[in-house]
Amino acid sequence: MERQKLQRQPRRPSHGKKRAHRYNAPAQCTLSPWYCLLQLWATRPADPLKMACASKTDEDFMRLALEEARAAMLEGEVPVGCILVSQTGDVLARAGNETNRSRNGTRHCEFVASEKVLRQADGPALLRNSTLYVTLEPCIMCAAALQYLGIPEVVFGSANVRFGGCGGVCDIHKMKVPKSGPRGGADAAREALPGFACRGGVLAEEAVEVLREFYATGNPNAPEAKRHRPLPNAST
């Protein structure tokens, strides 16, 4: 027995060295190829285009909305424009007012841009994860529509002291209504209205200046009874 113990003792450290060598040697690493691919994907270089989109500020996006407002003015529309931006900084849609051209009082730029997104794949989900940049505070009608569409954030330029639904006249964006079921079998179920975040004053002076430029010459589509300024070519 003593001889057997003496013979086994040298084997133990030798076996330990082999195990240490096996686990410490990088050449014998047995990681899954899928794990290695995931590691490479996680450490891939950042997409320069996405970085550029993510680095844009509120003012950058508002300038795009102002471009839409100016384009609408050239078409004889009240110059209000907007864009819808995804969480990654991609512009989902852009639009200006179309009320005069369509003879439809609901064709405010917020409606037009939202409709463009709804026509895309996963449109409702895109809207629920987007930010609206609009040159003028949404009116009460548009603010209510934004509630039902589930747009979580609105950034506007100038305040709308006559018709604003985001603090100008009413605080539609602060209204929160829980989900409700049918009542007595006559009323349909209603989804919850969670409200939405809202902030303004981004490039407000530029937004006001565009409106002043339009109204300085008189709105050609306004009824005569409501016209505050005569048209340049109107006879005296």
Side-chain angles (χ1 to χ4, degrees):
M1 292 294 294
E2 292 294 332
R3 182 177 298 176
Q4 290 179 356
K5 289 181 179 180
L6 292 173
Q7 290 176 352
R8 290 176 182 175
Q9 285 176 357
R11 294 179 183 177
R12 291 177 181 174
S14 175
H15 180 69
K17 288 180 181 179
K18 288 182 179 179
R19 291 182 63 183
H21 176 71
R22 184 171 70 248
Y23 287 104
N24 293 333
Q28 297 182 7
C29 179
T30 58
L31 293 175
S32 167
W34 291 107
Y35 176 82
C36 295
L37 286 173
L38 287 173
Q39 289 293 104
L40 289 172
W41 183 85
T43 58
R44 71 195 187 285
D47 188 341
L49 181 58
K50 289 186 176 181
M51 288 179 64
C53 291
S55 63
K56 284 188 176 180
T57 64
D58 286 345
E59 291 188 356
D60 294 326
F61 288 123
M62 191 60 71
R63 287 190 178 92
L64 297 179
L66 284 167
E67 290 179 4
E68 295 302 312
R70 295 187 181 96
M73 182 168 60
L74 294 176
E75 297 291 336
E77 300 283 350
V78 176
V80 181
C82 71
I83 63 169
L84 280 161
V85 181
S86 70
Q87 291 182 337
T88 58
D90 299 319
V91 177
L92 300 173
R94 48 199 300 167
N97 277 1
E98 293 183 1
T99 55
N100 294 332
R101 285 171 287 175
S102 63
R103 303 294 181 184
N104 185 339
T106 68
R107 300 298 287 170
H108 289 194
C109 62
E110 296 94 330
F111 276 78
V112 179
S114 298
E115 183 179 297
K116 290 180 180 180
V117 176
L118 288 173
R119 290 177 178 175
Q120 301 177 23
D122 300 324
L126 289 174
L127 285 178
R128 289 192 294 269
N129 293 278
S130 66
T131 299
L132 173 72
Y133 288 86
V134 58
T135 58
L136 182 67
E137 175 190 345
C139 67
I140 296 172
M141 174 185 70
C142 291
L146 296 174
Q147 275 267 33
Y148 282 100
L149 290 170
I151 294 175
E153 184 179 22
V154 173
V155 181
F156 63 84
S158 172
N160 188 346
V161 296
R162 295 183 64 191
F163 309 110
C166 297
V169 177
C170 297
D171 293 327
I172 302 295
H173 64 297
K174 293 182 179 180
M175 295 182 179
K176 297 183 180 181
V177 180
K179 183 177 181 179
S180 62
R183 299 178 182 178
D187 195 6
R190 297 181 181 180
E191 294 296 327
L193 299 180
F196 56 87
C198 191
R199 48 198 169 87
V202 179
L203 299 183
E205 288 298 325
E206 287 85 340
V208 170
E209 188 59 34
V210 175
L211 290 168
R212 284 175 180 166
E213 182 180 348
F214 175 77
Y215 285 110
T217 57
N219 185 351
N221 295 284
E224 289 296 334
K226 295 185 178 181
R227 193 185 306 282
H228 298 289
R229 296 176 181 84
L231 297 176
N233 299 327
S235 58
T236 56

